[in-house]
Structure formats: C-alpha cells, structure tokens
C-alpha cells in the first residue's frame, strides 16, 4: 500500500540554523500539506501546496518557512533560522482523489 | 470560530466496552469531518470520515454520529480492544479548496484488558 515517507525521522539543530525536512508524498496525489504537533498538543496546519504553489498557509507559516517541490517526487519544508519554539513533530500529508489526507510518520525537530 | 473542541481529554474503558469521544465545532462552513488515530511516535492515521449529508457512518467497530443542528459529531468504538489504545483526534475542514484540517485537542484512550 502506498504511503507518505519522511526524512529524517529526527533532526537536532542549533538555534539560528537552517533545516530542510523532506517528504515523498503518495505518487498520484496532487495536494500536499505540512502540519506540526508540539509535544502533547494538537496537530496544527502549516501550509498546503497545489500545482507548484502555496494554496493556503497559517499564521504560523511566516517568512522563516518555505516549501518547495524540487522534482516530481519530493516535497520539502525549509526553516531558515530555527528558534527554540520550532521544536515539534512535523508531519507531511498528501491528499487522495477522494479528498482523504494521508500522513507520513513525521520528523521530530529538536532545536537546542 | 476555527476551533474544534474535543472531549474527554482522556478515557479509560474496559475491554469489550464502548468508547465514545465527542467533538463540537463553530464554523458552519465545515463540511468534512475525519477522525484520526495516532500511536506514540507515529503519524495520524485516517480512521473514518463523514460529510454532513448523512447522520451516521459505520465502518467495522467504528461509527461516526453527526448532528448538524448541534454542530457536534462523535466517534463510537464498539467492543473496544487493547489494540485500540491510542490518541484519537477529530478534525474538520471545508471539503473544497485547500481543505486544511482543523484538529481537536485529542483524546488519549486506554482500553484495560
């Protein structure tokens, strides 16, 4: 069964450093998403991406964040200058033709 | 208005019992309501979803009940099993367009053997 994959599973970085989180969505899906979950809290929407552009973004998704689909399979989230409060689990999701969103296993980002 | 409120925060049910988790929303534009199951260290997995044209949807032991006038929906897990122990999130979105999911706070469900 096709699934969303994410790398790395855990990323540790120092405050102020840039990180890139990578995702491979399910191959025939057209809508892609990033969500985050701070430890013990609910899952929060960051951004949706369709047809090579952002379709919607939350107030969390400020100028420090960017997304890209550099090729036909990868979907990336870049945080330019990480802050302590960026520490969270980041989930990529992709949407099927039946409008169901499937989540990857997540990347745990720890900013020290 | 974008919030989805979920209760209870935690729930303990005996094996074989019925687990019930409730959610309420404010935004009347929401018209898609999925439930996700999350095990520790894993991503949320889609369990079951409903649209407001029906008041109930059943898949195996899982049932969503939907009350459009009250703006509430709930998940019922029949014959709860220890393997059902997980965190459950309700969510809501607008079916068309970007369909960003707004999640509830989550319910940690424990099924005692």
């Amino acid at each position: 069964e096709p699934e969303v994959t994410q790398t790395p599973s855990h990323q540790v970085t120092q405050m102020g450093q840039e990180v890139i989180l990578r995702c491979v969505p399910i191959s025939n899906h057209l809508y892609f998403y990033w969500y985050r979950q701070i430890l013990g809290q609910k899952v929060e929407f960051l951004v949706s991406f369709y047809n090579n552009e952002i379709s919607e973004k939350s107030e969390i998704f400020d100028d420090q964040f960017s997304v890209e689909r550099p090729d036909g399979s990868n979907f990336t989230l870049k945080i330019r200058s990480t802050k302590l409060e960026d520490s969270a689990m980041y989930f990529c999701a992709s949407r099927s033709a039946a409008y169901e969103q499937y989540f990857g296993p997540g990347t745990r980002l720890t900013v020290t | 208005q974008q919030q989805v409120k979920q209760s209870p925060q935690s729930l303990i049910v005996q094996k074989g019992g019925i687990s019930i988790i409730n959610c309420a929303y404010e935004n009347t534009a929401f018209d898609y309501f999925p439930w996700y199951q999350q095990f520790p260290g894993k991503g949320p997995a889609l369990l079951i979803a409903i649209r407001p044209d029906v008041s109930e949807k059943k898949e195996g032991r899982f049932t969503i009940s939907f009350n459009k006038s009250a703006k509430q929906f709930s998940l019922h897990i029949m014959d709860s099993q220890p393997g059902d122990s997980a965190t459950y999130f309700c969510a809501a979105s607008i079916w068309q367009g970007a369909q960003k999911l707004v999640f509830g706070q989550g319910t940690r469900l424990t099924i005692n053997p």
Side-chain angles (χ1 to χ4, degrees):
Chain A
E1 185 177 318
E3 56 184 19
V4 177
T5 59
Q6 290 185 243
T7 53
S9 56
H10 190 191
Q11 174 90 47
V12 181
T13 189
Q14 288 190 325
M15 200 166 52
Q17 295 297 303
E18 174 183 289
V19 294
I20 297 175
L21 310 183
R22 290 182 167 79
C23 167
V24 179
I26 295 172
S27 63
N28 59 347
H29 290 186
L30 300 178
Y31 254 104
F32 314 118
Y33 305 83
W34 285 101
Y35 292 84
R36 80 171 186 191
Q37 184 178 33
I38 294 170
L39 187 63
Q41 297 186 23
K42 66 179 178 180
V43 179
E44 298 175 290
F45 169 81
L46 291 178
V47 66
S48 60
F49 191 85
Y50 172 75
N51 202 24
N52 276 323
E53 60 184 30
I54 291 173
S55 54
E56 190 165 353
K57 61 183 180 179
S58 73
E59 59 276 8
I60 302 169
F61 194 89
D62 61 23
D63 292 343
Q64 293 300 311
F65 291 87
S66 63
V67 289
E68 195 178 33
R69 187 153 164 85
D71 53 43
S73 59
N74 290 285
F75 179 51
T76 62
L77 174 69
K78 182 194 290 186
I79 310 175
R80 272 183 255 288
S81 177
T82 50
K83 308 184 194 74
L84 293 176
E85 54 265 37
D86 294 328
S87 294
M89 198 78 168
Y90 288 81
F91 293 107
C92 174
S94 67
R95 192 176 90 182
S96 71
Y99 289 70
E100 296 169 335
Q101 289 187 35
Y102 294 89
F103 283 70
T107 292
R108 179 169 300 284
L109 176 66
T110 302
V111 182
T112 61
Chain B
Q1 247 222 338
Q2 287 293 318
Q3 279 191 335
V4 176
K5 294 181 181 177
Q6 183 172 347
S7 62
Q9 273 190 304
S10 63
L11 180 62
I12 299 174
V13 174
Q14 291 299 117
K15 179 181 172 184
I18 303 173
S19 305
I20 302 174
I21 304 170
N22 301 297
C23 284
Y25 63 97
E26 291 291 325
N27 188 349
T28 53
F30 286 152
D31 58 359
Y32 175 66
F33 304 93
W35 284 89
Y36 283 83
Q37 179 188 57
Q38 186 179 33
F39 293 105
K42 304 290 185 184
L46 179 64
L47 200 57
I48 187 173
I50 197 168
R51 297 205 62 207
D53 50 340
V54 295
S55 60
E56 188 174 280
K57 183 174 180 180
K58 184 176 179 180
E59 287 183 4
R61 296 185 294 110
F62 300 92
T63 300
I64 300 180
S65 297
F66 182 78
N67 186 329
K68 188 174 180 178
S69 60
K71 292 184 284 186
Q72 294 175 348
F73 57 110
S74 60
L75 176 70
H76 292 62
I77 306 174
M78 313 299 286
D79 186 26
S80 301
Q81 298 297 312
D84 297 329
S85 297
T87 299
Y88 291 80
F89 291 95
C90 63
S93 77
I94 298 169
W95 179 255
Q96 295 296 331
Q99 204 198 48
K100 70 174 188 183
L101 292 173
V102 178
F103 282 84
Q105 288 291 116
T107 296
R108 181 172 290 184
L109 175 65
T110 302
I111 308 300
N112 282 337

